[in-house]
């Protein structure tokens, strides 16, 4: 029913528009086709078109399209947003081009310690893991935490023990370790550089989706930042910072300098802003709905009856990313909204990204100007 604007609600909206004159485009009673949408990322950062060969660019684009296709196939055949998010993330975790699963960055001690999280917008159920070293696809473990444990966030050995009880596939250290990432660590140590100096980009992966039922989900997976030490945890597995989904507002996955994303609470901040942007209008319209004999409203207006414009959603995401920048951080986010908008916002020169919708949108891009 959420995809129908009821004529009952519409008449109040029209009434409200006439009386108060602040709703410029009252929603009319009409059927709206169910929609799906998906957005993915493979990290943001200082990406320079002159420093990437056409072959490298094509390889990244093919990997992004492959992940997008996996998510699209699920959504277009009526699968859930949560299934689509995981289907899109798994190939990115398996691909050494990205800093998640295979190809993850190294810690100061020379290990690959993986973080991942998922959240379901239907009931805000969430699962997250940090510091796991043997799980082939950490995103699947995060989901098991969500569905099979009474907890939200597991770490290290305990998380691995839980994974083994859930019979999740494991892989030896060699599976995750790549020459390129090891070199980054060595350069960092030899020249006392920062993680950003050696990597120039964050290669975390993530996906967000809206399914035909109107449900949203988000997931993020990463190796963190090169040379991380002392058990450092970034934003990716922190619900509210790197990942958030709530059917009342949006689903978000982030990539960037995790410390800043945690401080701003980026993913939840974007969702909360969108939710309140809905609610201001809804409260106003609700106030003109006639009351029954008991003084209760005769009709409860639902957020889905007020579509949020793509411009408004973009504005809120950009405002939150501006806060990250003001504090000195950088990176980007992807988001989907209940209306089917699939958006990006980033304050770096590029972000590996892609999006597709049931309206026929299909794109992958890397540099800001694309
Ligand atoms: N956000 C991740 C972290 O701070 C890094 C990334 O996005 O690649 O761990």
């Amino acid at each position: 029913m959420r995809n129908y604007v009821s004529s009952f609600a519409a008449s109040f909206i029209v009434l409200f528009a006439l009386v108060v004159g602040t709703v410029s485009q009252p929603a009319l009673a009409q059927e709206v086709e169910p929609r799906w949408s998906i957005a993915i990322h493979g990290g943001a950062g200082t990406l320079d078109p002159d420093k990437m060969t056409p072959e490298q660019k094509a390889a990244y684009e093919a990997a992004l399209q492959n992940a997008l296709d996996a998510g699209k196939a699920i959504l277009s055949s009526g699968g859930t947003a949560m299934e689509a998010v995981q289907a899109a993330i798994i190939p990115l975790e398996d691909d050494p081009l990205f800093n998640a699963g295979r190809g993850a960055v190294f810690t100061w001690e020379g290990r690959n310690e993986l973080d991942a999280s998922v959240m379901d917008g239907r009931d805000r159920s969430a699962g997250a893991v940090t510091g796991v070293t043997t799980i082939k696809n950490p995103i699947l473990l995060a989901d098991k935490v969500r569905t099979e444990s009474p907890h939200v966030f597991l770490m290290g050995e305990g998380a691995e023990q839980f994974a083994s009880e859930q019979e999740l596939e494991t892989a030896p250290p060699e599976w995750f370790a790549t020459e390129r990432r090891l070199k980054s660590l060595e350069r960092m140590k030899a020249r006392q550089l920062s993680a950003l100096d050696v990597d120039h980009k964050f290669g975390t992966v993530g996906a967000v989706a809206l399914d035909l039922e109107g449900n949203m989900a988000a997931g993020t997976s990463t190796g963190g930042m090169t040379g991380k030490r002392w058990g450092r945890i970034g934003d990716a597995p922190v619900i509210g910072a790197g990942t958030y989904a709530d059917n009342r507002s949006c689903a978000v996955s982030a990539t960037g300098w995790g410390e800043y994303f945690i401080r701003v609470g980026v993913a939840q901040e974007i969702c909360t802003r969108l939710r309140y942007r809905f609610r201001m209008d809804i409260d106003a319209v609700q106030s003109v709905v006639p009351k029954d004999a008991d003084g209760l409203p005769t009709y409860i207006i639902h957020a889905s009856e007020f579509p949020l414009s793509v411009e408004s959603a973009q504005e809120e995401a950009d405002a939150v990313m501006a806060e990250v920048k003001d504090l000195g951080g950088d990176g980007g986010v992807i988001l989907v909204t209940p209306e089917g908008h699939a958006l990006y916002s980033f304050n770096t020169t590029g972000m590996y990204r892609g999006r597709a919708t049931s309206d026929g949108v299909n794109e992958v891009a890397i540099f800001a100007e694309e």
Side-chain angles (χ1 to χ4, degrees), residues 224-275:
M225 289 173 79
T226 298
K228 64 183 184 180
R229 61 203 301 199
W230 307 305
R232 180 263 186 194
I233 303 169
D235 61 314
V238 177
I239 297 297
T243 301
Y244 203 74
D246 179 347
N247 273 5
R248 297 172 299 177
S249 51
C250 64
V252 178
S253 169
T255 176
W257 197 337
E259 280 67 12
Y260 294 92
F261 282 69
I262 292 173
R263 286 165 60 192
V264 173
V266 167
Q268 188 178 12
E269 174 73 4
I270 293 173
C271 287
T272 303
R273 280 170 175 253
L274 293 192
R275 181 153 65 94

Side-chain angles (χ1 to χ4, degrees), residues 143-158:
D143 194 43
K144 286 285 186 197
V145 174
R146 180 181 76 86
T147 57
E148 306 301 325
S149 90
H151 306 300
V152 167
F153 204 174
L154 300 183
M155 65 173 260
E157 268 177 38

Side-chain angles (χ1 to χ4, degrees), residues 103-153:
V105 298
F106 282 86
T107 64
W108 188 259
E109 293 76 22
R111 284 151 54 92
N112 302 115
E113 290 182 1
L114 313 169
D115 301 336
S117 62
V118 290
M119 187 160 183
D120 192 328
R122 275 183 293 204
D123 54 1
R124 281 174 281 160
S125 58
V129 291
T130 183
V132 295
T133 56
T134 67
I135 310 305
K136 182 165 174 282
N137 293 108
I139 200 72
L140 295 179
L141 178 55
D143 194 43
K144 286 285 186 197
V145 174
R146 180 181 76 86
T147 57
E148 306 301 325
S149 90
H151 306 300
V152 167
F153 204 174

Side-chain angles (χ1 to χ4, degrees), residues 90-102:
I90 288 169
L92 297 173
E93 285 185 331
D94 289 344
D95 190 327
L97 286 177
F98 301 96
N99 170 20
R102 187 171 182 215

